[in-house]
Amino acid sequence: MDDEDSLGANKCPVCGSDPRTHPGLRFKINTKCYHRICEGCVDRNFSSGKAECPVAGCHVNLWKREWRPQTFEDLKIEREVEIRKTVGKTLDRREEEFESKRDYDDYLELKEELIMNLVLKIDVQATRRKLKEYAIANGIKTDATEATNDAGTRPTKRQNTPKDAADPSGLIKGLKPVVAPAPKAPYDPFMGMPRTRDYYQVKDSYVARARGKPSEAMSAAGYDFHQYMDECLWKAFAGLGVFIEDEMVAKPVPVSVQH
């Protein structure tokens, strides 16, 4: 913010409209330069597309959608709340992701330090670069990551980051390593049941009893009635669990008692 007094003024700094003489006058602000102008000036200057902020001396390019109603009367609070929301969307780690409570506290301290750097305008470019590198490395989509990189915010490669690190950018320390889930076995609808045909044999008499003499219509389009009967018999045995030979082998042999 260039001029704190002009930001807090009741009049529009562009057209000079005053709420006392224009009842119902509403103001809007943006989250880049935080200048406050009336809705009429927003419509006149930004309805045709992207344009510079109309406040004298400000050359920030803005879209109309970037102007929104003011929430707090004090624009300093408005700006800090917006910064906290933006940083919070990028740094959203939970306590269970850290090795210890101390590591989580260090993360919260780092997060607060980055926020206050932006609020107090301390090392702004370096702070934004750190957040942008973190977002890119962790696949987080933000306005900063989608914008064109310039010399001041271009992310740098970190050569010493281990492959199993939870944060590839190296900004956050103390995170638990990422453990890849165990590969799942392929789905088996038969739950390990052997698909063998050792318990029955399909005979031509089965087909004759079921449908009579097979006709040409039954074998149309490659239809095989023997295969159909084979599948039916296999399902009958498998569904009932009738594996007689296995049951006989597994059955304990009674011990004869000699007198």
Side-chain angles (χ1 to χ4, degrees):
M1 293 179 291
D2 298 328
D3 190 354
E4 299 291 340
D5 294 332
S6 63
L7 289 175
N10 291 328
K11 294 182 179 181
C12 176
V14 179
C15 65
S17 299
D18 193 325
R20 293 173 296 181
T21 58
H22 296 77
L25 182 67
R26 292 186 296 182
F27 291 89
K28 287 188 174 182
I29 63 170
N30 68 82
T31 57
K32 289 187 177 180
C33 62
Y34 283 91
H35 283 132
R36 175 176 173 266
I37 64 177
C38 67
E39 283 187 334
C41 289
V42 172
D43 293 335
R44 283 192 298 271
N45 289 275
F46 298 96
S47 294
S48 299
K50 195 173 186 179
E52 287 187 354
C53 177
V55 176
C58 183
H59 303 288
V60 177
N61 291 318
L62 300 165
W63 293 97
K64 184 178 180 180
R65 64 175 178 269
E66 294 178 298
W67 293 88
R68 62 173 178 80
Q70 183 177 348
T71 305
F72 299 95
E73 183 177 356
D74 190 343
L75 288 181
K76 292 181 180 179
I77 299 177
E78 186 90 32
R79 179 171 174 269
E80 181 176 345
V81 170
E82 188 67 27
I83 290 174
R84 290 185 178 276
K85 287 170 57 179
T86 303
V87 175
K89 290 179 181 179
T90 303
L91 302 179
D92 58 348
R93 297 286 184 171
R94 301 181 301 274
E95 184 176 353
E96 55 267 24
E97 298 180 56
F98 290 84
E99 295 284 357
S100 64
K101 181 66 166 57
R102 176 59 183 271
D103 293 329
Y104 181 63
D105 291 341
D106 292 341
Y107 157 73
L108 294 179
E109 184 176 352
L110 171 65
K111 183 177 180 179
E112 188 66 20
E113 179 183 350
L114 296 175
I115 290 174
M116 295 312 299
N117 283 348
L118 297 176
V119 172
L120 302 177
K121 298 182 179 180
I122 302 173
D123 297 331
V124 175
Q125 291 297 329
T127 302
R128 288 178 177 173
R129 184 169 60 251
K130 289 179 181 179
L131 292 172
K132 187 173 181 179
E133 290 179 14
Y134 174 84
I136 293 175
N138 291 274
I140 302 173
K141 291 185 178 180
T142 63
D143 293 339
T145 58
E146 294 175 356
T148 303
N149 293 333
D150 53 26
T153 59
R154 183 172 300 161
T156 58
K157 294 182 179 180
R158 298 181 181 271
Q159 303 293 340
N160 298 325
T161 303
K163 294 182 179 180
D164 59 344
D167 176 20
S169 70
L171 177 64
I172 301 177
K173 310 297 182 182
L175 288 168
K176 296 178 181 178
V178 177
V179 180
K184 294 183 179 180
Y187 175 70
D188 181 13
F190 303 100
M191 297 181 293
M193 186 179 299
R195 291 181 61 85
T196 59
R197 267 60 173 177
D198 300 334
Y199 306 102
Y200 61 88
Q201 182 179 3
V202 180
K203 298 182 179 180
D204 294 337
S205 58
Y206 296 162
V207 179
R209 293 175 185 176
R211 289 290 184 90
K213 186 177 180 180
S215 62
E216 295 181 358
M218 295 174 60
S219 59
Y223 182 78
D224 186 1
F225 201 76
H226 284 269
Q227 183 179 1
Y228 170 76
M229 291 297 298
D230 176 69
E231 191 71 17
C232 289
L233 289 172
W234 184 87
K235 289 181 178 179
F237 278 82
L240 296 175
V242 183
F243 299 105
I244 301 175
E245 294 181 1
D246 293 344
E247 292 179 358
M248 293 179 63
V249 173
K251 186 176 180 180
V253 179
V255 179
S256 59
V257 180
Q258 296 181 356
H259 297 282

